[in-house]
PDB file of all heavy atoms in Angstrom:
ATOM      1  N   GLY A 753     -24.022  37.660  -7.932  1.00 62.00           N
ATOM      2  CA  GLY A 753     -23.021  37.458  -6.874  1.00 62.00           C
ATOM      3  C   GLY A 753     -23.070  36.055  -6.295  1.00 62.00           C
ATOM      4  O   GLY A 753     -22.043  35.416  -6.061  1.00 62.00           O
ATOM      5  N   LEU A 754     -24.281  35.545  -6.085  1.00 60.00           N
ATOM      6  CA  LEU A 754     -24.433  34.180  -5.574  1.00 60.00           C
ATOM      7  C   LEU A 754     -23.899  33.159  -6.581  1.00 60.00           C
ATOM      8  O   LEU A 754     -23.285  32.161  -6.209  1.00 60.00           O
ATOM      9  CB  LEU A 754     -25.893  33.893  -5.236  1.00 60.00           C
ATOM     10  CG  LEU A 754     -26.450  34.611  -4.009  1.00 60.00           C
ATOM     11  CD1 LEU A 754     -27.959  34.350  -3.880  1.00 60.00           C
ATOM     12  CD2 LEU A 754     -25.733  34.175  -2.755  1.00 60.00           C
ATOM     13  N   GLY A 755     -24.118  33.428  -7.857  1.00 62.00           N
ATOM     14  CA  GLY A 755     -23.604  32.532  -8.901  1.00 62.00           C
ATOM     15  C   GLY A 755     -22.089  32.486  -8.903  1.00 62.00           C
ATOM     16  O   GLY A 755     -21.480  31.419  -9.020  1.00 62.00           O
ATOM     17  N   VAL A 756     -21.446  33.649  -8.762  1.00 59.00           N
ATOM     18  CA  VAL A 756     -19.977  33.708  -8.724  1.00 59.00           C
ATOM     19  C   VAL A 756     -19.462  32.943  -7.508  1.00 59.00           C
ATOM     20  O   VAL A 756     -18.497  32.169  -7.603  1.00 59.00           O
ATOM     21  CB  VAL A 756     -19.484  35.172  -8.708  1.00 59.00           C
ATOM     22  CG1 VAL A 756     -17.998  35.242  -8.393  1.00 59.00           C
ATOM     23  CG2 VAL A 756     -19.786  35.847 -10.034  1.00 59.00           C
ATOM     24  N   VAL A 757     -20.074  33.125  -6.351  1.00 58.00           N
ATOM     25  CA  VAL A 757     -19.651  32.420  -5.137  1.00 58.00           C
ATOM     26  C   VAL A 757     -19.774  30.912  -5.323  1.00 58.00           C
ATOM     27  O   VAL A 757     -18.874  30.149  -4.968  1.00 58.00           O
ATOM     28  CB  VAL A 757     -20.475  32.900  -3.913  1.00 58.00           C
ATOM     29  CG1 VAL A 757     -20.237  31.998  -2.711  1.00 58.00           C
ATOM     30  CG2 VAL A 757     -20.134  34.339  -3.579  1.00 58.00           C
ATOM     31  N   LYS A 758     -20.858  30.469  -5.918  1.00 64.00           N
ATOM     32  CA  LYS A 758     -21.074  29.036  -6.131  1.00 64.00           C
ATOM     33  C   LYS A 758     -20.020  28.457  -7.072  1.00 64.00           C
ATOM     34  O   LYS A 758     -19.483  27.375  -6.839  1.00 64.00           O
ATOM     35  CB  LYS A 758     -22.479  28.785  -6.680  1.00 64.00           C
ATOM     36  CG  LYS A 758     -22.835  27.339  -6.763  1.00 64.00           C
ATOM     37  CD  LYS A 758     -24.292  27.142  -7.083  1.00 64.00           C
ATOM     38  CE  LYS A 758     -24.606  25.671  -7.048  1.00 64.00           C
ATOM     39  NZ  LYS A 758     -26.003  25.387  -7.120  1.00 64.00           N
ATOM     40  N   VAL A 759     -19.693  29.162  -8.146  1.00 60.00           N
ATOM     41  CA  VAL A 759     -18.675  28.699  -9.096  1.00 60.00           C
ATOM     42  C   VAL A 759     -17.316  28.623  -8.400  1.00 60.00           C
ATOM     43  O   VAL A 759     -16.565  27.667  -8.565  1.00 60.00           O
ATOM     44  CB  VAL A 759     -18.618  29.623 -10.337  1.00 60.00           C
ATOM     45  CG1 VAL A 759     -17.380  29.354 -11.172  1.00 60.00           C
ATOM     46  CG2 VAL A 759     -19.873  29.456 -11.172  1.00 60.00           C
ATOM     47  N   MET A 760     -16.974  29.619  -7.610  1.00 61.00           N
ATOM     48  CA  MET A 760     -15.686  29.646  -6.907  1.00 61.00           C
ATOM     49  C   MET A 760     -15.575  28.497  -5.899  1.00 61.00           C
ATOM     50  O   MET A 760     -14.534  27.885  -5.772  1.00 61.00           O
ATOM     51  CB  MET A 760     -15.485  30.984  -6.186  1.00 61.00           C
ATOM     52  CG  MET A 760     -15.397  32.161  -7.134  1.00 61.00           C
ATOM     53  SD  MET A 760     -14.074  31.990  -8.309  1.00 61.00           S
ATOM     54  CE  MET A 760     -12.788  32.790  -7.415  1.00 61.00           C
ATOM     55  N   LYS A 761     -16.651  28.194  -5.202  1.00 64.00           N
ATOM     56  CA  LYS A 761     -16.638  27.079  -4.256  1.00 64.00           C
ATOM     57  C   LYS A 761     -16.476  25.759  -4.991  1.00 64.00           C
ATOM     58  O   LYS A 761     -15.784  24.863  -4.538  1.00 64.00           O
ATOM     59  CB  LYS A 761     -17.933  27.045  -3.428  1.00 64.00           C
ATOM     60  CG  LYS A 761     -17.922  27.953  -2.255  1.00 64.00           C
ATOM     61  CD  LYS A 761     -19.170  27.718  -1.400  1.00 64.00           C
ATOM     62  CE  LYS A 761     -19.142  28.536  -0.149  1.00 64.00           C
ATOM     63  NZ  LYS A 761     -20.323  28.316   0.669  1.00 64.00           N
ATOM     64  N   GLY A 762     -17.117  25.623  -6.132  1.00 60.00           N
ATOM     65  CA  GLY A 762     -17.045  24.396  -6.923  1.00 60.00           C
ATOM     66  C   GLY A 762     -15.637  24.128  -7.417  1.00 60.00           C
ATOM     67  O   GLY A 762     -15.191  23.000  -7.495  1.00 60.00           O
ATOM     68  N   LYS A 763     -14.885  25.173  -7.734  1.00 58.00           N
ATOM     69  CA  LYS A 763     -13.518  25.008  -8.233  1.00 58.00           C
ATOM     70  C   LYS A 763     -12.505  24.865  -7.109  1.00 58.00           C
ATOM     71  O   LYS A 763     -11.351  24.557  -7.344  1.00 58.00           O
ATOM     72  CB  LYS A 763     -13.133  26.215  -9.095  1.00 58.00           C
ATOM     73  CG  LYS A 763     -13.804  26.238 -10.436  1.00 58.00           C
ATOM     74  CD  LYS A 763     -13.251  27.379 -11.263  1.00 58.00           C
ATOM     75  CE  LYS A 763     -13.889  27.418 -12.637  1.00 58.00           C
ATOM     76  NZ  LYS A 763     -13.373  28.508 -13.449  1.00 58.00           N
ATOM     77  N   LYS A 764     -12.899  25.139  -5.879  1.00 58.00           N
ATOM     78  CA  LYS A 764     -11.991  25.131  -4.727  1.00 58.00           C
ATOM     79  C   LYS A 764     -10.780  25.998  -5.059  1.00 58.00           C
ATOM     80  O   LYS A 764      -9.633  25.556  -5.059  1.00 58.00           O
ATOM     81  CB  LYS A 764     -11.586  23.706  -4.350  1.00 58.00           C
ATOM     82  CG  LYS A 764     -12.751  22.898  -3.858  1.00 58.00           C
ATOM     83  CD  LYS A 764     -12.337  21.530  -3.441  1.00 58.00           C
ATOM     84  CE  LYS A 764     -13.548  20.761  -2.982  1.00 58.00           C
ATOM     85  NZ  LYS A 764     -13.298  19.384  -2.751  1.00 58.00           N
ATOM     86  N   HIS A 765     -11.081  27.229  -5.402  1.00 54.00           N
ATOM     87  CA  HIS A 765     -10.091  28.197  -5.853  1.00 54.00           C
ATOM     88  C   HIS A 765      -8.901  28.246  -4.893  1.00 54.00           C
ATOM     89  O   HIS A 765      -9.058  28.337  -3.694  1.00 54.00           O
ATOM     90  CB  HIS A 765     -10.753  29.572  -5.961  1.00 54.00           C
ATOM     91  CG  HIS A 765      -9.891  30.584  -6.619  1.00 54.00           C
ATOM     92  ND1 HIS A 765      -9.546  30.503  -7.937  1.00 54.00           N
ATOM     93  CD2 HIS A 765      -9.307  31.699  -6.133  1.00 54.00           C
ATOM     94  CE1 HIS A 765      -8.776  31.526  -8.238  1.00 54.00           C
ATOM     95  NE2 HIS A 765      -8.619  32.269  -7.160  1.00 54.00           N
ATOM     96  N   GLY A 766      -7.702  28.189  -5.453  1.00 59.00           N
ATOM     97  CA  GLY A 766      -6.490  28.299  -4.650  1.00 59.00           C
ATOM     98  C   GLY A 766      -5.923  26.972  -4.208  1.00 59.00           C
ATOM     99  O   GLY A 766      -4.796  26.895  -3.774  1.00 59.00           O
ATOM    100  N   LYS A 767      -6.669  25.889  -4.300  1.00 61.00           N
ATOM    101  CA  LYS A 767      -6.182  24.576  -3.887  1.00 61.00           C
ATOM    102  C   LYS A 767      -5.840  23.759  -5.125  1.00 61.00           C
ATOM    103  O   LYS A 767      -6.633  23.696  -6.060  1.00 61.00           O
ATOM    104  CB  LYS A 767      -7.237  23.828  -3.069  1.00 61.00           C
ATOM    105  CG  LYS A 767      -7.514  24.455  -1.731  1.00 61.00           C
ATOM    106  CD  LYS A 767      -8.512  23.631  -0.952  1.00 61.00           C
ATOM    107  CE  LYS A 767      -8.825  24.291   0.378  1.00 61.00           C
ATOM    108  NZ  LYS A 767      -9.836  23.545   1.113  1.00 61.00           N
ATOM    109  N   PRO A 768      -4.670  23.136  -5.142  1.00 65.00           N
ATOM    110  CA  PRO A 768      -4.327  22.312  -6.309  1.00 65.00           C
ATOM    111  C   PRO A 768      -5.208  21.069  -6.362  1.00 65.00           C
ATOM    112  O   PRO A 768      -5.619  20.538  -5.338  1.00 65.00           O
ATOM    113  CB  PRO A 768      -2.862  21.927  -6.059  1.00 65.00           C
ATOM    114  CG  PRO A 768      -2.654  22.091  -4.591  1.00 65.00           C
ATOM    115  CD  PRO A 768      -3.638  23.135  -4.133  1.00 65.00           C
TER     116      PRO A 768
END
Side-chain angles (χ1 to χ4, degrees):
L754 289 174
V756 169
V757 169
K758 187 170 184 170
V759 167
M760 296 302 269
K761 277 187 175 180
K763 287 186 179 180
K764 294 182 181 171
H765 189 67
K767 293 183 182 177

